[in-house]
Structure formats: C-alpha cells, structure tokens
C-alpha cells in the first residue's frame, strides 16, 4: 500500500498532489502523482460574496431582562387577610383559604400556584377594603339625606 503524498508548500497550487481514488468538488477523480488543476473555479459560500464589506461594530438589541430568582415562598400578605375580616368578613373566608395554600404549594414545587395564592390574598383584602369604603360612603350619604329630610319636614314652632 502506498502512502498518499501531500503538498509540501500549501501556497503553491502547482505542487499539490492528492491521494489516489479521492473525489473532489468538480466530480473528477485524480490518481496519485497527478497535479491538481489550477485554473478551475470553485463555488463560494453563498452568504459571502467577493468584495462584501463588513463593519467592525455591530449594534445589538438590549439583553432581555428577567425577574430576580426567588429564594423563598412569596409574601403571605396575611395583613390583607386580617383586613378582610375587619372590613368585609364574607370575603375573609376566601382570603384565609388562599393564605393557607401559599406555603404548601411552594413546598410541593408549585411556585406559580403559591405566587397566585399570595396575589389573590392581597387582591381579596383590597376588595374588602373597597367594599367597606363604599359602604361607609353610602351610609354617610344616606344619613345626611335622612337628616336633611327630617330638618326640612319640621316646622318652626313658636312658643307663646
């Protein structure tokens, strides 16, 4: 078995000899010792063309920002659950139910469920506060209307 001969000088294409039996880009086969043709054109990479200019500086879009990783369960928002008892107690049942689901969901690996339960407790507390404020505003408005109605219905009495 003969050993293939490789070119001695890679810069000189006339001295390049290739091993026998190998097929090259034009589909031609060359035998050992045969010179490789020099005037043949080879296809270039289609995405690069001769004379194409590339700038050294490229502008990139800003890197995407991600939320900081959370190392513990989300806030329990227990204050909002207590506020729901004080302001509108029917909502407190749902608020405390979600409050007691936060840590078990976190411990089971349901991080999104725990975050949802935490946000839900806060939202229910805020809803109970809003309902309480609306009720107090309506109560004061009806009380003022009631007092105005009583005062306007009373005639002025004269004492002789």
């Amino acid at each position: 078995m003969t050993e293939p001969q490789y070119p001695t000088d890679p810069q000189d294409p006339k001295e390049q000899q290739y091993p026998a039996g190998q097929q090259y880009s034009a589909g031609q086969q060359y035998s050992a010792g045969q010179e490789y043709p020099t005037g043949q054109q080879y296809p270039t990479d289609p995405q690069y063309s001769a004379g194409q200019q590339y700038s050294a500086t490229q502008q990139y879009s800003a890197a995407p920002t991600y939320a900081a990783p959370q190392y513990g369960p989300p806030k329990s928002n227990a204050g909002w659950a207590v506020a729901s008892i004080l302001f509108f107690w029917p909502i407190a049942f749902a608020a405390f139910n979600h409050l007691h689901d936060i840590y078990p969901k976190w411990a089971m690996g349901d991080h999104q469920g725990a975050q949802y339960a935490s946000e839900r407790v806060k939202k229910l507390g805020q809803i109970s506060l809003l309902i309480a404020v609306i009720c107090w505003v309506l109560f004061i408005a009806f009380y003022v209307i009631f007092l105005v109605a009583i005062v306007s219905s009373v005639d002025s009495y004269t004492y002789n």
Side-chain angles (χ1 to χ4, degrees):
M1 181 174 205
T2 63
E3 205 138 323
Q5 295 178 355
Y6 293 102
T8 55
D9 183 12
Q11 301 299 327
D12 188 10
K14 291 185 179 187
E15 289 186 14
Q16 293 182 358
Q17 293 182 353
Y18 297 91
Q22 282 191 332
Q23 197 169 21
Y24 294 93
S25 64
Q28 300 171 350
Q29 294 218 358
Y30 298 98
S31 61
Q34 184 179 358
E35 288 188 13
Y36 196 70
T38 57
Q40 190 173 357
Q41 293 290 328
Y42 298 99
T44 59
D45 195 358
Q47 72 188 50
Y48 303 109
S49 61
Q52 191 172 1
Q53 298 287 327
Y54 294 99
S55 63
T57 58
Q58 294 180 358
Q59 293 189 4
Y60 297 98
S61 61
T65 56
Y66 300 102
Q70 213 172 15
Y71 296 107
K75 287 179 60 176
S76 66
N77 292 316
W80 282 111
V82 171
S84 67
I85 289 176
L86 298 175
F87 296 131
F88 192 70
W89 65 266
I91 292 180
F93 293 113
F96 273 98
N97 188 27
H98 286 291
L99 176 67
H100 292 299
D101 283 346
I102 294 172
Y103 184 74
K105 286 184 178 186
W106 181 266
M108 289 188 309
D110 185 10
H111 301 283
Q112 288 180 337
Q115 184 65 36
Y116 172 77
S118 173
E119 292 169 0
R120 192 70 183 152
V121 169
K122 184 176 181 179
K123 186 62 127 178
L124 289 170
Q126 291 171 344
I127 289 171
S128 67
L129 176 62
L130 180 66
I131 290 172
V133 167
I134 290 172
C135 286
W136 276 103
V137 167
L138 290 175
F139 174 74
I140 292 172
F142 285 132
Y143 190 72
V144 168
I145 291 170
F146 179 72
L147 287 177
V148 168
I150 290 178
V151 169
S152 65
S153 69
V154 175
D155 287 335
S156 61
Y157 292 104
T158 56
Y159 296 103
N160 293 342

